[in-house]
Amino acid sequence: KTPLLRALSAVDKAGTGVARYFDPNVKHVVSNLGWEQEYFLVDEALYGARPDLVMTGRTLMGHESAKNQQLEDHYFGAIPSRVQAFMLDLEIEAHKLGIPVKTRHNEVAPNQFELAPIYEETNLANDHNMLIMSVMAEVARRHNFRVLLHEKPFAGINGSGKHCNWSIMTDTGVNLLSPGKTPTKNLQFLSFYASVLRAVHKHHYLLMTSVATLGNSYRLGGNEAPPAVASVFSGSTLYGIFRSIMELGDARMTASSQESIKIVNAIPEIFPDNTDRNRTSPFAFTGNRFEFRAVGSSQNVASAVYVVNSIVAESLKDFRHEVDVLEAAGEDRSSAIMAVVRKFITEAKDIMFEGNGYSKEWEIESQARGLRAVRNVPESYEVYHEAQTVELFDKLGVLAPNEVEARFEILNEVYVKKLQIEARILGDICLNHVIPAAVRYQNVLIENVKGIKDIFGDDYMNFCSSEIDTLKKISFHMNNLSADVVRLVDARKKANRIEGIGERAKTYSHEVKDMMDKVRYSADHLEMIIDDEMWPLPKYRELLFF
């Protein structure tokens, strides 16, 4: 909360300085935010029968359901009546508290939904989002539901994000990221857009680290979640203008009738892109705002938005300084502004990408462009030790150097503790639920084989080969499971002996997490073998379909 307030003050000061080039009456620039809160609902009784859901908010094991989201029939279907009753109750409670929720709909995954308010000033929007998450949990209990805000509660289907639609506007009511119809308005738009582009390019790794949490690490990069490397999607219309500015030095370009770009002096009238927004871009322009799609559903939006406002404030401050220098040297103001716009866009060209962020080609190309992806959460936290980051926050008054260091320590500590809890619970479930169920089913099969042998004598193998094969599979996976749980405990003990919290977190992220994947592999295979009546945990098909 504190760095958010400081960052809002910084973007106000820096943004006002640039906005006054175009309107001397501007006294303040305000950051606005519209969040989209995705969430899952599960039946309360089934939730209570899953220790992993109760303790961590996600399923640590579970074989995927035969049907999940392949048909996308949940996304396009009607809201289930039981859920609609919950949504109505939630909206009434939200409006009592002054939270202007407006949108409700199904999401792609089964039992996944979304709500969103109208746009508000960022500080208020942050408060309202924190409050709505608490209210959701309380209202859900009335309807015998539990809300899951974890970024990836179920493997193999969409996770949940909290898309943050961010913009800045003047106290005179002008959206500074809204294209205009006159050269002056478009020059203003290009000034702020170019500053955002340059900010995202310069601090792209810090921006993605702001959403790097244990929960979000399970989500990013798969099933419609943004990839872990930053890029900015502008749309074909704007991208064409930027290319023209970079290549020709102005905004003159040949416009097709389809793009509807009208040449007005040097800067064309700018129309928002008429295609659907790019869902693979973490930071997409959507007509009059940027949508930061990588924020996790359980996060405090302030943790990401204070970074957005800080990096943009720095860029706007630099923009003003460079224009003033050119003006002092005798350059006409409009020409000076256009020159800095071109410089900033050229510097940021590598962050602009209009294609598929999920593709292997982009993964290779982004590396060639020098863009850093968040491959490992604790390793990404090292960005808080980089001079560029410390200087950014310090010179803006957002975070002092010791506060940056404190953030590094706390982020790593939270990561370690959450992963430690997950690892311990996974081991407990395997020892107390999965293995006993496997043993019981083994005994049933053994009794069955003995009975067949008693009846058919030496020819019994001709009548129970499938049972014998199943026994072998159970024994194989059960032995692996037992051994891997022991290795998981050893990996935790090894990690816990490491002194530095940063190094401890890295060890957890590699060795402990890797062992958890191996444990889950065996447990999920046993789920598909053991008699359904004996399996002690609600399965995905039960949790995801009412």
Side-chain angles (χ1 to χ4, degrees):
K1 186 69 173 182
T2 298
L4 174 63
L5 293 172
R6 293 171 178 170
L8 293 175
S9 176
V11 83
D12 174 14
K13 183 178 179 181
T16 300
V18 176
R20 282 179 178 164
Y21 283 143
F22 308 96
D23 182 0
N25 296 317
V26 173
K27 294 183 175 61
H28 292 288
V29 165
V30 179
S31 166
N32 285 343
L33 181 68
W35 43 264
E36 305 168 32
Q37 180 69 61
E38 294 178 342
Y39 61 96
F40 282 85
L41 289 175
V42 295
D43 186 272
E44 188 168 34
L46 298 176
Y47 171 90
R50 291 282 313 215
D52 48 358
L53 275 180
V54 172
M55 303 299 287
T56 72
R58 80 178 185 103
T59 54
L60 301 177
M61 62 176 64
H63 199 282
E64 67 178 26
S65 173
K67 179 190 175 185
N68 46 53
Q69 63 184 45
Q70 304 100 314
L71 301 176
E72 297 184 341
D73 50 340
H74 182 255
Y75 190 57
F76 295 105
I79 298 173
S81 57
R82 183 179 168 194
V83 176
Q84 193 142 15
F86 157 76
M87 288 178 168
L88 178 60
D89 197 0
L90 174 62
E91 289 163 1
I92 291 171
E93 293 297 331
H95 282 279
K96 287 178 183 177
L97 295 167
I99 306 172
V101 292
K102 179 182 179 183
T103 303
R104 60 154 92 130
H105 63 82
N106 292 344
E107 265 300 335
V108 177
N111 283 3
Q112 188 185 32
F113 308 94
E114 180 181 291
L115 83 158
I118 60 175
Y119 293 95
E120 301 179 284
E121 189 273 320
T122 296
N123 183 42
L124 182 60
N126 176 225
D127 290 347
H128 281 166
N129 183 248
M130 294 300 292
L131 188 55
I132 199 71
M133 290 193 289
S134 177
V135 175
M136 287 170 72
E138 180 181 332
V139 174
R141 299 290 296 272
R142 301 179 196 166
H143 297 264
N144 298 317
F145 281 132
R146 287 298 185 117
V147 172
L148 303 183
L149 293 175
H150 194 284
E151 285 76 15
K152 196 74 170 180
F154 303 100
I157 61 174
N158 277 19
S160 293
K162 179 147 44 191
H163 305 164
C164 286
N165 295 274
W166 175 89
S167 65
I168 47 177
M169 68 180 294
T170 67
D171 59 336
T172 60
V174 176
N175 184 341
L176 296 167
L177 293 176
S178 183
K181 295 185 177 182
T182 66
T184 300
K185 289 295 184 185
N186 276 332
L187 190 57
Q188 176 178 273
F189 165 74
L190 289 172
S191 299
F192 281 88
Y193 197 105
S195 296
V196 175
L197 275 180
R198 192 250 200 173
V200 175
H201 178 259
K202 183 177 180 181
H203 296 286
H204 66 274
Y205 194 58
L206 173 64
L207 186 64
M208 294 305 295
T209 298
S210 74
V211 300
T213 63
L214 176 62
N216 218 15
S217 69
Y218 298 121
R219 163 184 170 254
L220 292 180
N223 298 100
E224 278 203 0
V229 59
S231 65
V232 176
F233 169 80
S234 301
S236 58
T237 302
L238 269 177
Y239 188 63
I241 292 173
F242 296 151
R243 288 184 61 183
S244 174
I245 292 172
M246 288 187 288
E247 294 170 6
L248 303 179
D250 58 33
R252 295 181 180 90
M253 60 182 294
T254 301
S256 67
S257 58
Q258 181 181 7
E259 291 174 317
S260 301
I261 300 177
K262 302 175 183 177
I263 303 300
V264 184
N265 295 334
I267 305 173
E269 181 178 354
I270 300 173
F271 287 77
D273 193 63
N274 59 3
T275 60
D276 188 22
R277 68 184 187 273
N278 189 318
R279 296 174 185 273
T280 69
S281 172
F283 208 79
F285 183 66
T286 57
N288 58 7
R289 63 195 182 276
F290 285 95
E291 183 181 18
F292 191 16
R293 296 175 54 82
V295 183
S297 55
S298 69
Q299 282 188 269
N300 180 341
V301 294
S303 62
V305 178
Y306 92 83
V307 174
V308 175
N309 283 285
S310 295
I311 64 177
V312 172
E314 178 196 51
S315 194
L316 288 169
K317 189 176 179 182
D318 292 344
F319 188 95
R320 173 82 194 204
H321 172 73
E322 296 199 20
V323 171
D324 287 349
V325 168
L326 290 175
E327 275 198 286
E331 187 90 23
D332 171 75
R333 173 168 289 181
S334 294
S335 299
I337 290 173
M338 199 64 206
V340 180
V341 166
R342 184 188 184 202
K343 178 176 183 287
F344 276 24
I345 290 174
T346 303
E347 288 178 2
K349 66 181 184 298
D350 286 336
I351 203 69
M352 291 186 281
F353 181 64
E354 301 297 300
N356 180 8
Y358 292 147
S359 66
K360 185 68 177 177
E361 290 75 16
W362 171 238
E363 183 180 339
I364 296 170
E365 185 180 341
S366 64
Q367 293 176 10
R369 293 185 183 190
L371 301 178
R372 300 157 65 188
V374 176
R375 305 293 182 196
N376 178 277
V377 172
E379 288 172 8
S380 74
Y381 293 156
E382 294 292 340
V383 74
Y384 290 102
H385 283 155
E386 294 177 7
Q388 180 176 265
T389 302
V390 177
E391 181 186 358
L392 164 75
F393 292 131
D394 192 27
K395 70 183 179 183
L396 293 174
V398 174
L399 290 171
N402 63 329
E403 291 176 309
V404 176
E405 179 61 27
R407 244 178 216 297
F408 171 81
E409 294 282 331
I410 292 167
L411 287 168
N412 277 294
E413 184 178 357
V414 170
Y415 182 92
V416 166
K417 288 182 176 179
K418 286 192 172 183
L419 189 52
Q420 183 183 69
I421 291 169
E422 287 191 358
R424 292 176 68 179
I425 291 170
L426 179 60
D428 290 348
I429 292 175
C430 289
L431 296 176
N432 297 321
H433 293 76
V434 176
I435 291 177
V439 170
R440 283 196 297 272
Y441 190 48
Q442 264 189 328
N443 290 335
V444 170
L445 291 174
I446 289 170
E447 289 300 318
N448 180 258
V449 171
K450 286 181 178 179
I452 292 173
K453 185 175 182 180
D454 289 342
I455 295 173
F456 295 102
D458 293 340
D459 292 334
Y460 79 99
M461 283 296 294
N462 295 325
F463 302 98
C464 63
S465 59
S466 62
E467 288 90 335
I468 297 294
D469 288 342
T470 302
L471 277 168
K472 290 178 180 178
K473 290 178 183 177
I474 291 175
S475 297
F476 174 77
H477 290 300
M478 195 163 60
N479 288 337
N480 285 345
L481 185 63
S482 298
D484 286 339
V485 168
V486 172
R487 295 188 187 102
L488 177 59
V489 173
D490 290 340
R492 282 197 295 109
K493 290 180 178 178
K494 175 185 173 183
N496 290 337
R497 287 194 293 268
I498 297 173
E499 288 295 327
I501 189 64
E503 291 305 313
R504 190 185 313 155
K506 290 176 189 176
T507 303
Y508 259 93
S509 69
H510 290 293
E511 298 184 22
V512 175
K513 240 180 137 188
D514 288 349
M515 283 309 309
M516 288 175 65
D517 291 339
K518 292 181 179 179
V519 169
R520 177 169 190 157
Y521 177 85
S522 297
D524 288 356
H525 276 73
L526 285 170
E527 179 184 318
M528 297 301 290
I529 298 172
I530 294 171
D531 187 340
D532 187 61
E533 290 185 0
M534 292 185 177
W535 189 252
L537 305 171
K539 298 182 178 181
Y540 273 22
R541 65 169 181 259
E542 295 154 349
L543 291 165
L544 290 171
F545 297 93
F546 295 128

